[in-house]
Amino acid sequence: MSGEQPEYALIESAARNLLSLITATAGQEQVQGQSQSRGLTLNPPGSQNLGLRQPSIHQEMTRSFPSMFRKERTSGKRRFPTPVIKAVVAPTKHTSLQFYLLPAPTDRTPQGSQELKLLMAGLGKRHISLPDNSNHVEITASLAVEYPKLENLMGGWLLYKASGGSGQRKLTVIPPESEGYSAKLLKSSSNNGRHMLFIVPLQDEIDISPLPFDAPEFSKMPKSQCKTCGETLPLQALALHVESCSKPDSDQEAEEESSDCLEASTQIVWDPAIGEGVNRFLFSMTTQKLKCSFHLNFGNAHITRIFDGEPDHLVPSSSAHLVDSDLFLMAGRMIGHCFLHGGPPLSGLSPAVVHVISGGSAETAVVQISDCPDFDLRQKIMLLEGESELTPDEKESINDLCFSWDLPPVNNANRRWLYERLLHHAVIGRTMRQIKQLRKGLKETMLWPLLRQRPDVLPVIFPPEKNDVLTPVCVINSISWPSMVENDDEDDNDDECSLEDKSRIAGYLRQFIESASSHELKALVKFWVGWEVPTTSLKLEVTNCNLPRASTCFETLRLPSRYCNYPAFQKELLACIGTVDTGFGLV
């Protein structure tokens, strides 16, 4: 025990010394704090201010007892790490302002008729987005990008704003600040971008001649292609371009040749001076040419059909040359004239096309797969019928067709719907321009009011092919057969034939009519009177001529009396009636 007393005494002495040191240091810091709050500095007498800071109580205790007073642990897992806060830079705000560059010094806003002209010169209205902290230099650079002509402008410019009202208004200057214009000033002057800011030159004038269409001023404008010359232009420039644009010489020659071929037959009016037969022939040629091929010099297409497809499923041709030449407008005139003058109708049209021509809605038209004249399209569309699985090649061909017509790709959910949309577009969608031209031609012949008020006449104007059949009974009942009475002046007339010859040739003709098809009967009647509709009195004469002849104006058919057997008569009559598409039935 006596050996341990000195150790306890030493520890007790050290603790007392440490406590006294802490008490003295705390009192000294308290006095220094009060002195510093009063603006005083306490230094012991004779001491020098060496710029050294006295250690605090916490630092002394940490040095003496590191395990108890250390703030951070050097070992173990830091369970709650201090988050690192990064400084986020606020994005710069932008304001969209409307600017209008004027070509010369003025105190009035421009007229509305000058906007397009100034736009073509690289001036006019622009929308420019400026940062809210933009200064005068940055604003000038942004304006020079939108208006390249400002870079070469001499004499300076100022911004103006217009007073309220409509029409031409008075301009008021926007005075710049000491450092020029700023985005904040322009924003307040334009009511946060709602009002136009006019850029007015002070001394110089800007050239307003039209710029080329590939100028940088037009780089951001949407473009479209001119139908006449095929040049790609900005949309704003098309309004001025179409007024001066002319078709190429080759296109004009092709159009003149095509119009010369059909103008005589499309704008004809019944003229009594040229004879009944000639009138009937002209009108017959109009409607029949609509259903057969004819030659047009289009450069890359020689054989053209106005209507394509099967009988009773004819639809207008999708040829762009025919639409651009307004041939369907001429076809509408033909149909109207033939109906008004009792001529042959245009038969075999698709019921869906007739429904739309007569004013019905295109969406309500009932389209059949037989109405699609393009067999390649028909085969692709027919792949969507049924529920059989499509092969990858079939699906790819169908999707290519869908994408070309702005339709979604095929899947199991839209298969039936896609079949109907593809078929409808192939028959009606691609021919709407042609149908509108046909309808316009019917309106010009005053047939449109009849179609609107009397829908029951549609089967008469556009009959089915099966109803447009010429029967032998109809033709035989319309013939005025030659007289079988002996003529006293027979010896004086060299062209007059004997009763035996008349009877034999008339029998041959009756036999031909009874055995002929509807197409051959129509050709015979057209050879006889000029069109396919038989008149009430078809005259027949047997003469001493070489080949069958017809006087269409007098509705008379003249047959030679030299035939001794029916095969020879049939062969030569078929050869003659086959010339109705090239002349008036004369050989």
Side-chain angles (χ1 to χ4, degrees):
M1 297 296 294
S2 61
E4 296 178 357
Q5 288 181 355
E7 294 179 359
Y8 287 115
L10 291 175
I11 294 172
E12 183 178 0
S13 175
R16 288 176 181 177
N17 293 334
L18 179 61
L19 182 62
S20 62
L21 177 63
I22 293 173
T23 304
T25 305
Q28 186 179 358
E29 287 182 356
Q30 183 177 4
V31 173
Q32 288 181 359
Q34 293 176 357
S35 300
Q36 290 178 0
S37 64
R38 296 176 184 178
L40 302 177
T41 303
L42 298 178
N43 291 320
S47 64
Q48 297 180 356
N49 187 9
L50 300 178
L52 298 176
R53 183 180 177 182
Q54 295 295 332
S56 63
I57 298 175
H58 183 75
Q59 291 176 346
E60 291 289 342
M61 297 300 290
T62 303
R63 188 180 301 124
S64 302
F65 305 97
S67 62
M68 298 176 61
F69 290 90
R70 183 167 295 177
K71 291 184 178 180
E72 297 181 358
R73 298 176 60 88
T74 58
S75 62
K77 182 178 181 181
R78 184 179 299 175
R79 298 184 180 276
F80 302 100
T82 305
V84 179
I85 302 176
K86 296 182 179 179
V88 179
V89 180
T92 305
K93 294 184 178 180
H94 288 69
T95 302
S96 180
L97 301 176
Q98 303 180 59
F99 291 89
Y100 199 112
L101 178 59
L102 295 177
T106 181
D107 60 346
R108 294 282 180 179
T109 59
Q111 297 179 355
S113 58
Q114 297 178 348
E115 292 186 4
L116 188 58
K117 185 177 181 181
L118 294 176
L119 182 65
M120 295 305 301
L123 312 181
K125 183 167 61 175
R126 298 285 194 279
H127 286 266
I128 303 177
S129 180
L130 296 176
D132 289 350
N133 57 356
S134 299
N135 54 25
H136 185 82
V137 177
E138 295 173 346
I139 293 175
T140 303
S142 300
L143 292 177
V145 172
E146 294 293 335
Y147 300 105
K149 290 187 176 182
L150 276 180
E151 296 180 350
N152 302 325
L153 182 65
M154 304 296 294
W157 51 268
L158 284 177
L159 293 177
Y160 286 72
K161 62 180 179 179
S163 57
S166 59
Q168 279 192 297
R169 294 163 291 165
K170 185 175 178 60
L171 294 176
T172 305
V173 66
I174 302 176
E177 298 174 342
S178 59
E179 297 181 358
Y181 291 109
S182 63
K184 183 177 180 181
L185 174 61
L186 300 184
K187 185 176 179 180
S188 61
S189 301
S190 63
N191 194 9
N192 202 16
R194 292 184 178 90
H195 301 321
M196 187 79 67
L197 299 177
F198 293 89
I199 308 172
V200 181
L202 296 180
Q203 303 177 44
D204 202 358
E205 293 186 2
I206 304 176
D207 185 20
I208 59 174
S209 58
L211 296 174
F213 300 129
D214 56 350
E217 286 84 350
F218 304 142
S219 60
K220 298 181 181 180
M221 295 183 181
K223 297 177 177 57
S224 182
Q225 188 176 16
C226 177
K227 286 179 54 179
T228 305
C229 63
E231 186 176 0
T232 302
L233 309 172
L235 288 179
Q236 295 86 339
L238 277 179
L240 296 177
H241 175 76
V242 295
E243 297 178 359
S244 58
C245 181
S246 59
K247 294 184 178 181
D249 296 336
S250 59
D251 293 344
Q252 288 184 348
E253 294 176 359
E255 183 178 357
E256 291 174 359
E257 292 179 4
S258 62
S259 60
D260 292 338
C261 294
L262 293 177
E263 186 173 357
S265 63
T266 57
Q267 299 190 8
I268 57 175
V269 179
W270 194 273
D271 188 3
I274 63 175
E276 295 286 330
V278 177
N279 281 312
R280 282 193 294 268
F281 175 77
L282 292 177
F283 283 111
S284 177
M285 290 294 291
T286 60
T287 53
Q288 296 309 310
K289 280 297 181 182
L290 298 181
K291 298 170 59 177
C292 61
S293 302
F294 57 93
H295 178 81
L296 289 178
N297 185 14
F298 280 135
N300 61 348
H302 296 289
I303 302 300
T304 312
R305 294 178 65 91
I306 293 286
F307 292 92
D308 292 327
E310 306 171 1
D312 289 335
H313 298 283
L314 296 176
V315 298
S317 174
S318 59
S319 173
H321 293 291
L322 300 181
V323 179
D324 296 339
S325 302
D326 292 336
L327 290 184
F328 290 96
L329 173 63
M330 300 177 185
R333 296 172 185 166
M334 298 178 190
I335 297 170
H337 281 302
C338 285
F339 175 78
L340 295 177
H341 296 285
L346 178 61
S347 60
L349 281 185
S350 169
V353 175
V354 174
H355 171 78
V356 181
I357 290 178
S358 59
S361 173
E363 297 298 328
T364 60
V366 180
V367 183
Q368 304 177 14
I369 190 63
S370 302
D371 294 333
C372 182
D374 193 327
F375 286 98
D376 292 336
L377 293 178
R378 185 186 298 186
Q379 291 178 358
K380 292 181 180 180
I381 295 173
M382 289 179 64
L383 294 175
L384 297 174
E385 285 187 319
E387 298 181 356
S388 59
E389 188 69 22
L390 297 175
T391 63
D393 294 339
E394 293 174 347
K395 185 175 294 186
E396 182 180 1
S397 64
I398 294 174
N399 288 337
D400 292 341
L401 180 61
C402 294
F403 294 150
S404 63
W405 289 350
D406 297 331
L407 292 173
V410 60
N411 54 54
N412 294 330
N414 67 352
R415 183 167 180 170
R416 183 61 188 178
W417 174 85
L418 203 59
Y419 168 81
E420 296 176 354
R421 298 313 304 169
L422 288 174
L423 180 58
H424 186 275
H425 185 76
V427 178
I428 302 298
R430 298 195 306 162
T431 60
M432 281 305 300
R433 293 178 59 192
Q434 295 86 322
I435 292 175
K436 290 180 179 179
Q437 288 190 10
L438 287 170
R439 191 184 301 168
K440 185 177 180 182
L442 295 175
K443 291 180 180 179
E444 292 182 1
T445 55
M446 302 305 294
L447 194 61
W448 179 254
L450 178 63
L451 296 178
R452 297 293 294 171
Q453 298 177 9
R454 294 287 304 276
D456 55 311
V457 302
L458 284 174
V460 179
I461 302 175
F462 302 104
E465 192 76 27
K466 60 182 180 180
N467 294 346
D468 189 24
V469 176
L470 194 59
T471 61
V473 177
C474 180
V475 177
I476 292 175
N477 293 337
S478 301
I479 297 176
S480 296
W481 299 97
S483 175
M484 297 301 174
V485 179
E486 189 73 27
N487 191 356
D488 296 337
D489 298 333
E490 181 179 357
D491 296 337
D492 299 335
N493 191 355
D494 296 336
D495 293 336
E496 188 69 21
C497 299
S498 62
L499 295 178
E500 183 181 355
D501 294 337
K502 294 180 181 180
S503 177
R504 185 179 67 256
I505 299 302
Y508 290 162
L509 180 61
R510 181 183 293 270
Q511 183 179 355
F512 176 83
I513 294 174
E514 291 176 349
S515 60
S517 63
S518 176
H519 177 74
E520 293 173 344
L521 290 178
K522 290 179 180 180
L524 173 63
V525 175
K526 186 190 296 187
F527 178 83
W528 200 324
V529 297
W531 62 21
E532 298 176 349
V533 181
T535 61
T536 57
S537 178
L538 300 177
K539 301 177 183 178
L540 175 63
E541 294 183 0
V542 180
T543 60
N544 294 323
C545 55
N546 294 327
L547 292 172
R549 295 185 176 185
S551 297
T552 55
C553 296
F554 300 100
E555 304 172 3
T556 301
L557 175 65
R558 295 184 176 89
L559 298 177
S561 60
R562 59 181 180 82
Y563 299 111
C564 299
N565 55 72
Y566 175 74
F569 172 84
Q570 181 187 25
K571 179 180 178 181
E572 294 191 0
L573 184 59
L574 287 174
C576 291
I577 65 178
T579 63
V580 292
D581 291 335
T582 58
F584 294 106
L586 300 177
V587 179

Short mmCIF file of all heavy atoms in Angstrom, two decimals, residues 37-58:
data_model
loop_
_atom_site.label_atom_id
_atom_site.label_comp_id
_atom_site.label_asym_id
_atom_site.label_seq_id
_atom_site.Cartn_x
_atom_site.Cartn_y
_atom_site.Cartn_z
N SER A 37 -15.71 41.59 -28.72
CA SER A 37 -17.04 42.12 -29.06
C SER A 37 -17.11 43.62 -28.85
O SER A 37 -17.88 44.32 -29.47
CB SER A 37 -18.11 41.39 -28.23
OG SER A 37 -17.90 41.67 -26.85
N ARG A 38 -16.24 44.15 -27.95
CA ARG A 38 -16.20 45.59 -27.71
C ARG A 38 -15.12 46.28 -28.55
O ARG A 38 -14.92 47.50 -28.42
CB ARG A 38 -15.91 45.85 -26.24
CG ARG A 38 -17.01 45.34 -25.33
CD ARG A 38 -16.62 45.53 -23.88
NE ARG A 38 -17.64 44.95 -23.01
CZ ARG A 38 -17.54 44.95 -21.66
NH1 ARG A 38 -16.44 45.47 -21.07
NH2 ARG A 38 -18.47 44.39 -20.93
N GLY A 39 -14.46 45.55 -29.36
CA GLY A 39 -13.43 46.14 -30.21
C GLY A 39 -12.10 46.26 -29.54
O GLY A 39 -11.24 47.04 -29.98
N LEU A 40 -11.85 45.50 -28.45
CA LEU A 40 -10.59 45.58 -27.71
C LEU A 40 -9.79 44.32 -27.95
O LEU A 40 -10.34 43.25 -28.22
CB LEU A 40 -10.87 45.76 -26.23
CG LEU A 40 -11.70 47.01 -25.86
CD1 LEU A 40 -11.96 47.01 -24.36
CD2 LEU A 40 -10.95 48.27 -26.26
N THR A 41 -8.48 44.43 -27.76
CA THR A 41 -7.58 43.29 -27.89
C THR A 41 -6.69 43.24 -26.66
O THR A 41 -6.03 44.24 -26.32
CB THR A 41 -6.70 43.42 -29.15
OG1 THR A 41 -7.57 43.53 -30.26
CG2 THR A 41 -5.79 42.20 -29.31
N LEU A 42 -6.72 42.10 -25.99
CA LEU A 42 -5.94 41.94 -24.77
C LEU A 42 -4.68 41.16 -25.06
O LEU A 42 -4.75 40.04 -25.57
CB LEU A 42 -6.77 41.22 -23.70
CG LEU A 42 -8.04 41.95 -23.25
CD1 LEU A 42 -8.78 41.09 -22.24
CD2 LEU A 42 -7.68 43.30 -22.65
N ASN A 43 -3.57 41.73 -24.74
CA ASN A 43 -2.29 41.04 -24.86
C ASN A 43 -1.54 41.18 -23.54
O ASN A 43 -1.58 42.23 -22.88
CB ASN A 43 -1.44 41.64 -25.98
CG ASN A 43 -2.04 41.34 -27.35
OD1 ASN A 43 -2.53 40.25 -27.55
ND2 ASN A 43 -1.98 42.33 -28.24
N PRO A 44 -0.88 40.16 -23.12
CA PRO A 44 -0.13 40.29 -21.88
C PRO A 44 0.98 41.31 -22.03
O PRO A 44 1.49 41.53 -23.14
CB PRO A 44 0.40 38.88 -21.65
CG PRO A 44 0.09 38.10 -22.85
CD PRO A 44 -0.78 38.87 -23.71
N PRO A 45 1.27 42.02 -20.94
CA PRO A 45 2.30 43.05 -21.03
C PRO A 45 3.65 42.44 -21.37
O PRO A 45 4.03 41.38 -20.89
CB PRO A 45 2.30 43.66 -19.63
CG PRO A 45 1.52 42.75 -18.75
CD PRO A 45 0.74 41.85 -19.57
N GLY A 46 4.29 43.17 -22.30
CA GLY A 46 5.61 42.71 -22.74
C GLY A 46 5.58 41.65 -23.80
O GLY A 46 6.62 41.23 -24.28
N SER A 47 4.39 41.15 -24.18
CA SER A 47 4.31 40.09 -25.22
C SER A 47 4.19 40.72 -26.58
O SER A 47 3.69 41.83 -26.73
CB SER A 47 3.12 39.17 -24.94
OG SER A 47 1.93 39.92 -25.05
N GLN A 48 4.63 40.01 -27.57
CA GLN A 48 4.56 40.46 -28.97
C GLN A 48 3.53 39.64 -29.74
O GLN A 48 3.42 38.45 -29.53
CB GLN A 48 5.94 40.30 -29.63
CG GLN A 48 7.02 41.16 -28.99
CD GLN A 48 8.33 40.98 -29.67
OE1 GLN A 48 8.47 40.17 -30.57
NE2 GLN A 48 9.35 41.74 -29.21
N ASN A 49 2.83 40.34 -30.59
CA ASN A 49 1.80 39.67 -31.43
C ASN A 49 2.49 39.01 -32.61
O ASN A 49 2.89 39.67 -33.56
CB ASN A 49 0.76 40.67 -31.92
CG ASN A 49 -0.40 40.00 -32.63
OD1 ASN A 49 -0.49 38.78 -32.62
ND2 ASN A 49 -1.25 40.81 -33.20
N LEU A 50 2.69 37.71 -32.46
CA LEU A 50 3.41 36.96 -33.50
C LEU A 50 2.48 36.38 -34.55
O LEU A 50 2.92 35.68 -35.44
CB LEU A 50 4.21 35.82 -32.84
CG LEU A 50 5.24 36.27 -31.83
CD1 LEU A 50 5.94 35.06 -31.19
CD2 LEU A 50 6.25 37.22 -32.43
N GLY A 51 1.17 36.64 -34.48
CA GLY A 51 0.22 36.12 -35.48
C GLY A 51 -0.10 34.68 -35.29
O GLY A 51 -0.63 34.04 -36.19
N LEU A 52 0.22 34.12 -34.03
CA LEU A 52 -0.08 32.71 -33.78
C LEU A 52 -1.36 32.61 -33.01
O LEU A 52 -1.57 33.33 -32.04
CB LEU A 52 1.06 32.06 -32.99
CG LEU A 52 2.42 32.03 -33.68
CD1 LEU A 52 3.47 31.45 -32.75
CD2 LEU A 52 2.34 31.28 -34.97
N ARG A 53 -2.19 31.72 -33.40
CA ARG A 53 -3.49 31.52 -32.76
C ARG A 53 -3.35 30.49 -31.64
O ARG A 53 -2.76 29.44 -31.82
CB ARG A 53 -4.52 31.04 -33.79
CG ARG A 53 -5.90 30.88 -33.21
CD ARG A 53 -6.84 30.41 -34.28
NE ARG A 53 -8.16 30.19 -33.76
CZ ARG A 53 -9.20 29.73 -34.48
NH1 ARG A 53 -8.99 29.46 -35.75
NH2 ARG A 53 -10.35 29.55 -33.92
N GLN A 54 -3.94 30.83 -30.44
CA GLN A 54 -3.88 29.93 -29.30
C GLN A 54 -4.79 28.74 -29.53
O GLN A 54 -5.88 28.89 -30.10
CB GLN A 54 -4.32 30.67 -28.03
CG GLN A 54 -3.38 31.80 -27.64
CD GLN A 54 -2.01 31.30 -27.25
OE1 GLN A 54 -1.87 30.15 -26.78
NE2 GLN A 54 -0.98 32.12 -27.46
N PRO A 55 -4.38 27.50 -29.16
CA PRO A 55 -5.26 26.32 -29.35
C PRO A 55 -6.49 26.43 -28.46
O PRO A 55 -6.41 26.89 -27.32
CB PRO A 55 -4.38 25.15 -28.97
CG PRO A 55 -3.31 25.73 -28.12
CD PRO A 55 -3.08 27.14 -28.58
N SER A 56 -7.59 25.98 -28.98
CA SER A 56 -8.85 26.03 -28.25
C SER A 56 -8.92 24.86 -27.26
O SER A 56 -8.07 23.96 -27.26
CB SER A 56 -10.02 25.98 -29.20
OG SER A 56 -10.03 24.77 -29.89
N ILE A 57 -9.93 24.92 -26.41
CA ILE A 57 -10.12 23.85 -25.42
C ILE A 57 -10.39 22.53 -26.12
O ILE A 57 -9.85 21.48 -25.73
CB ILE A 57 -11.27 24.21 -24.46
CG1 ILE A 57 -10.93 25.49 -23.69
CG2 ILE A 57 -11.55 23.07 -23.50
CD1 ILE A 57 -12.07 25.98 -22.82
N HIS A 58 -11.19 22.59 -27.19
CA HIS A 58 -11.53 21.35 -27.90
C HIS A 58 -10.28 20.73 -28.52
O HIS A 58 -10.12 19.50 -28.53
CB HIS A 58 -12.58 21.64 -28.96
CG HIS A 58 -13.05 20.42 -29.69
ND1 HIS A 58 -13.90 19.49 -29.12
CD2 HIS A 58 -12.76 19.95 -30.92
CE1 HIS A 58 -14.13 18.52 -29.96
NE2 HIS A 58 -13.45 18.78 -31.09
#
